[in-house]
Amino acid sequence: MAQQEWAYRIHGGEPVVGQISCLGAKNFATKAMVAALLADSPTELVNCPPIGDVAITRDMLVAIGASVDDEAGRLRIDPGDMRSSSVPIPDSGSNRIPILLLGTLLHRFAEVSVPVLGGCRIGERPVDFHLAAIEQFGGQVTTTREGYLARRTRRLRGTTITLPYPSVGATETCLFLGVLAQGRTVIANAAIEPEIIELITMLRAMGAVIFTSAGREIRIEGVERLNGTRMPILGDRIEAASWACLAGASDGEITVHGINPNNLGNFLAYFQQVGGGFELIDAETVRFFRRTRLSPAVVETDVYPGFSTDWQQPFAIMLTQAHGISIIHETVYENRFGYLAALNQLGANTQLTTHCLGGLPCRYRDKNHEHSAIIVGPTPLRADGNVITIPDLRAGLAYIIAAAIARGTSIIRGVHLLERGYGNVVPRLALMNLQIERIPCGSIL
Ligand code: EPU
């Protein structure tokens, strides 16, 4: 039977005021689930978010024989009975995790196969760095129509890897390969996102020997075995920044719980620069508001500690309300502005260009990708029953912000993409004064 499709109906136009709690970060929870497979005893993950991506990852782990018990966000993962080295795509779908399983499971099995990847369509998203890393550790990789196959004939060996770009996923693959490989591994030009640092902490707690340094270099001394551990999942910094943008864009005031402000890094500086304000309530609570009339900004997305590519969509909505011309240069993904066309339907004035509107080194220069956006503000947004369809996960939350500030009623379709990363956000948002309902798509006239 076809699955019921859901939509959100939002009646917007008022400042959004209230309190909201961030879930555990999707982009750490799913990686921590993979890390648990490296141990020879069970791991307990606390504050695991009830989201689609965790369910997809859980189904993959269960399919290869690991046991995964979920008790209200407390995930107990026992890799003891893992006996299959062939990862299927579960009924719940695919995500970016299979490529991380390829290297991880290669410690335990001489041959591993994983399916092609899912995840948001925001660019080509190749996995060449992952495959090259596995080969450098001594594995042999074959790419098939269905996915990837890795083999080894002996224990993997530590190596020096210089990543061509500080990829989050490829850094994770190298960490997973290095911790149980024989000898020393050096990862140069590694990603240093807060979720990576958290993953290093978790692996250390499992017995891994990992050294970080001031630059982008990580050194690992391989060990023979790892033990399970207990690990809390840190709050989602992407989600927290989105709620900040909701407060700023709607001229509201939102207290966000469950977020360590240190992990928001330069977002806080950009937020303040355009007229947002914040108050630190305690170590994990921040109140966001609009401090003054919003002013425009020039933003270039970048790897951490730069402005995250996952922050640009909610920030763009806020910039539609700024007085002047703003520019966003997306340097991480070549196709991450798919959401702007629908914004223009609501009254925004945005335009895309293939030029690099910024000074950061950019892999998309002269490649004909529309990866820079010009946003002219302020434009009041208006909805008259407009139906907008979410193109990717982070754009989904941006649409909620757009609908919240648009006068009138908007219908947001494609919410399964958003719920992969945020779960059903309606009960959390409805605790504020936002009028939002989750309705079956069939009921949209
Ligand atoms: N890249 C390659 N080859 C590779 C790997 C990456 O060319 O083998 C390129 C990518 O195409 C991209 C850039 O390197 O242009 C950065 O990709 P990265 O590997 O860092 O991204 P990822 O690990 O696939 C994670 C998050 C993304 C987030 C990025 C950047 C997960 C599951 N996903 O993706 O989050 O945008 O890091 O911070 O952790 C999201 O959550 O909605 C999302 C897209």
Side-chain angles (χ1 to χ4, degrees), residues 157-176:
R157 283 192 160 187
T159 180
T160 294
I161 303 228
T162 303
L163 291 174
Y165 184 82
S167 148
V168 170
T171 302
E172 289 158 350
T173 279
C174 292
L175 283 167
F176 293 146

Side-chain angles (χ1 to χ4, degrees), residues 393-425:
L393 162 62
R394 304 300 175 188
L397 215 47
Y399 278 3
I400 289 186
I401 301 172
I405 63 173
R407 283 214 172 278
T409 302
S410 312
I411 309 282
I412 302 181
R413 291 191 68 152
V415 301
H416 60 281
L417 288 174
L418 176 139
E419 294 186 352
R420 253 192 50 218
Y422 300 107
N424 175 5
V425 288

Side-chain angles (χ1 to χ4, degrees), residues 215-257:
R216 292 189 172 274
E217 190 170 288
I218 299 172
R219 177 163 61 86
I220 306 168
E221 303 294 340
V223 295
E224 298 278 333
R225 56 172 293 273
L226 294 171
N227 50 267
T229 189
R230 184 174 182 280
M231 187 73 197
I233 306 298
L234 80 170
D236 193 324
R237 68 193 164 99
I238 315 298
E239 195 186 314
S242 303
W243 305 139
C245 293
L246 175 58
S250 72
D251 199 4
E253 187 188 308
I254 299 180
T255 301
V256 181
H257 299 275

Side-chain angles (χ1 to χ4, degrees), residues 26-27 31 126-129 167-169 310 332-333 364 394:
K26 160 179 97 73
N27 290 347
K31 319 305 174 62
V127 291
D128 50 337
F129 306 163
S167 148
V168 170
D310 301 310
V332 181
Y333 291 110
Y364 309 122
R394 304 300 175 188

Side-chain angles (χ1 to χ4, degrees), residues 121-145:
R121 293 196 196 98
I122 49 184
E124 207 48 41
R125 306 190 83 177
V127 291
D128 50 337
F129 306 163
H130 299 254
L131 305 183
I134 293 172
E135 298 242 335
Q136 255 190 270
F137 277 89
Q140 297 91 44
V141 182
T142 314
T143 302
T144 65
R145 264 164 56 100

Side-chain angles (χ1 to χ4, degrees), residues 342-361:
L343 264 197
N344 287 352
Q345 282 173 30
L346 297 181
N349 182 356
T350 75
Q351 235 186 316
L352 289 176
T353 165
T354 57
H355 296 290
C356 290
L357 297 183
L360 279 186

Side-chain angles (χ1 to χ4, degrees), residues 256-406:
V256 181
H257 299 275
I259 184 66
N260 176 347
N262 289 332
N263 292 338
L264 288 170
N266 283 322
F267 172 82
L268 296 175
Y270 282 93
F271 186 68
Q272 282 183 303
Q273 201 176 34
V274 298
F278 67 91
E279 184 192 359
L280 302 178
I281 307 292
D282 62 37
E284 294 241 310
T285 310
V286 189
R287 186 172 69 87
F288 294 98
F289 47 89
R290 191 191 282 186
R291 192 170 34 81
T292 155
R293 193 176 95 146
L294 295 182
S295 47
V298 176
V299 178
E300 293 187 86
T301 65
D302 199 2
V303 294
Y304 196 85
F307 190 94
S308 166
T309 170
D310 301 310
W311 289 330
Q312 63 99 336
Q313 307 81 350
F315 204 69
I317 311 295
M318 194 161 95
L319 292 177
T320 65
Q321 304 309 302
H323 291 249
I325 299 174
S326 296
I327 286 172
I328 303 181
H329 180 209
E330 168 64 57
T331 75
V332 181
Y333 291 110
E334 67 270 36
N335 184 19
R336 221 174 182 183
F337 283 118
Y339 64 99
L340 285 182
L343 264 197
N344 287 352
Q345 282 173 30
L346 297 181
N349 182 356
T350 75
Q351 235 186 316
L352 289 176
T353 165
T354 57
H355 296 290
C356 290
L357 297 183
L360 279 186
C362 178
R363 293 164 297 148
Y364 309 122
R365 186 172 292 277
D366 300 328
K367 296 249 173 80
N368 219 23
H369 299 296
E370 291 190 317
H371 70 293
S372 292
I374 303 163
I375 301 172
V376 183
T379 46
L381 303 190
R382 258 187 219 96
D384 185 15
N386 294 53
V387 179
I388 51 181
T389 303
I390 294 175
D392 63 80
L393 162 62
R394 304 300 175 188
L397 215 47
Y399 278 3
I400 289 186
I401 301 172
I405 63 173

